């Protein structure tokens, strides 16, 4: 029994989707030159598809799980289960206007023509915002629509903003924030759920590792109590005596977002020779 995973064949999510599998210790055979492949050390089969097709394949059970942008899933509106946000492929779906057009509030979009490839998401958003605009569905190069007189505004994905900028457009509303997500068929068999859980265990270990750092420092023994209180750690810090009398080495794990606060407190409380090391995998 193998778990079938669908990932994007070639595009912005391809490389990171494959890297995620690799970081989970899965040796993918061949790579994306084929339609599908497998792994020699994990019961998984990998399908390489266009991202737009992935939600449908998963709803139908052709693939069991898949990686797509939330934007694609919401647009396609298929019946699948969202398992996990993956932290890459981050972007936003935004409405943009030619930069010289005045814009005070969303009401300014009433009666306007908006070009987009995301008509489902956009029409839902406009309805919520009580705006009546005309949606012009186009499949690509949305950013040129105002320039050629096809529309007054666009609704498209933005990451750095440079595409908007170089087309003389300004971002005025964020409709959706998106990132790559792991989705699954709603009725996976028990054996497949077991494989999925194994994969999720590994994905979570990677994420914990990314959000945490291993920290080593030296401290005078008389300060150890204070220093241990500053360090949250997984359980409690490890303390090893140094060759120099009266000093110890303290090892612990700190969260990335508390990191600078903790380092400052450690320093003011006598810690020296602080080393911070990335963690590759972390099982809590
Ligand atoms: O061939 P296939 O159909 O599989 O690929 P695709 O061309 O439809 O998708 P692709 O590879 O462009 O994007 C795949 C997914 O990556 C999207 O569904 C998003 O979830 C995510 N993503 C993240 C982005 C961007 N960032 C992004 N910037 N998708 C597209 N863009 C485009 C955007 O459409 C615009 O043209 O990049 C341009 C804007 O980028 P900036 O940096 O200039 O703002
Ligand atoms: Zn696509």
């Amino acid at each position: 029994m193998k778990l079938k995973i669908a990932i994007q064949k070639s595009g912005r999510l391809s490389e990171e989707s494959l890297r995620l599998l690799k970081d989970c210790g899965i040796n993918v055979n061949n790579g994306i030159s084929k339609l599908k492949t497998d792994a020699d050390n994990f019961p998984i089969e990998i399908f390489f598809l266009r991202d737009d097709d992935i939600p449908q394949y998963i709803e139908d059970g052709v693939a069991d799980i898949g990686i797509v942008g939330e934007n694609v899933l919401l647009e396609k509106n298929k019946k699948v289960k969202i398992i996990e946000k993956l932290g890459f492929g981050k972007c936003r779906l935004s409405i943009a206007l030619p930069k010289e057009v005045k814009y005070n509030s969303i009401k300014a979009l009433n009666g306007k023509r908006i070009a987009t490839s995301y008509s489902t998401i956009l029409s839902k958003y406009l309805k919520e915002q009580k705006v009546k605009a005309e949606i012009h569905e186009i499949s690509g190069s949305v950013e040129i629509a105002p320039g050629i007189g096809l529309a007054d505004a666009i609704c498209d994905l933005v990451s750095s903003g440079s595409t908007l900028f170089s087309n003389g457009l300004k971002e005025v509303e964020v409709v959706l924030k998106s990132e790559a997500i792991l989705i699954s068929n709603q009725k996976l068999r028990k054996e497949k759920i077991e494989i999925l859980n194994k994969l999720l265990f590994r994905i979570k270990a990677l994420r914990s590792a990314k959000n945490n750092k291993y920290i080593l420092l030296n401290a005078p023994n008389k300060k150890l109590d204070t220093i241990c209180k500053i360090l949250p750690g997984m359980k409690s810090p490890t303390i090893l005596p140094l060759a120099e009398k009266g000093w110890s080495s303290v090892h612990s794990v700190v969260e990335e977002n508390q990191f600078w606060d903790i380092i400052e407190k450690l320093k003011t409380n006598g810690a020296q020779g602080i080393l911070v090391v990335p963690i590759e995998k972390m099982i809590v």
Side-chain angles (χ1 to χ4, degrees), residues 93-269:
L93 182 67
S94 291
I95 298 175
L97 294 173
K99 63 177 187 301
E100 60 282 359
V101 175
K102 274 209 186 114
Y103 185 85
N104 296 320
S105 79
I106 193 146
K107 289 193 190 111
L109 297 173
N110 270 310
K112 297 277 194 273
R113 292 166 304 160
I114 311 176
T116 190
S117 317
Y118 290 90
S119 55
T120 307
I121 299 175
L122 179 61
S123 60
K124 188 164 167 259
Y125 177 78
L126 293 176
K127 210 170 177 187
E128 281 164 12
Q129 301 290 326
K130 300 191 171 55
V131 169
K132 286 212 162 71
E134 190 187 313
I135 297 176
H136 215 96
E137 168 105 36
I138 50 176
S139 60
S141 304
V142 175
E143 65 279 359
I144 63 166
I148 59 170
L150 187 69
D152 307 302
I154 66 163
C155 174
D156 198 12
L157 297 175
V158 182
S159 47
S160 69
S162 66
T163 304
L164 292 185
F165 183 79
S166 57
N167 283 281
L169 300 167
K170 63 178 174 189
E171 191 176 357
V172 295
E173 298 288 341
V174 175
V175 174
L176 171 81
K177 285 196 173 144
S178 175
E179 66 184 82
I181 48 172
L182 187 67
I183 56 176
S184 96
N185 178 271
Q186 288 183 330
K187 291 189 197 118
L188 283 190
R189 292 172 56 174
K190 194 169 145 275
E191 297 91 325
K192 296 207 173 185
I193 291 176
E194 278 166 17
I195 307 173
L196 174 58
N197 285 340
K198 265 191 187 173
L199 181 66
L200 281 176
F201 176 79
R202 297 184 188 191
I203 291 175
K204 284 178 185 158
L206 289 174
R207 192 178 33 223
S208 307
K210 220 184 250 172
N211 293 340
N212 288 276
K213 297 273 181 272
Y214 192 76
I215 181 165
L216 302 94
L217 58 90
N218 296 331
N221 288 347
K222 55 181 190 300
K223 295 277 190 178
L224 280 179
D225 273 356
T226 329
I227 284 183
C228 289
K229 277 188 195 119
I230 301 169
L231 286 169
M234 295 224 286
K235 268 212 169 71
S236 67
T238 308
I239 300 176
L240 303 164
L242 286 186
E244 190 177 330
K245 243 187 154 187
W247 282 77
S248 296
S249 165
V250 181
H251 299 204
S252 190
V253 170
V254 296
E255 261 183 54
E256 180 89 62
N257 56 10
Q258 304 177 352
F259 179 75
W260 291 109
D261 272 355
I262 290 178
I263 297 283
E264 272 166 28
K265 284 190 199 145
L266 290 171
K267 273 187 73 182
T268 48
N269 283 285

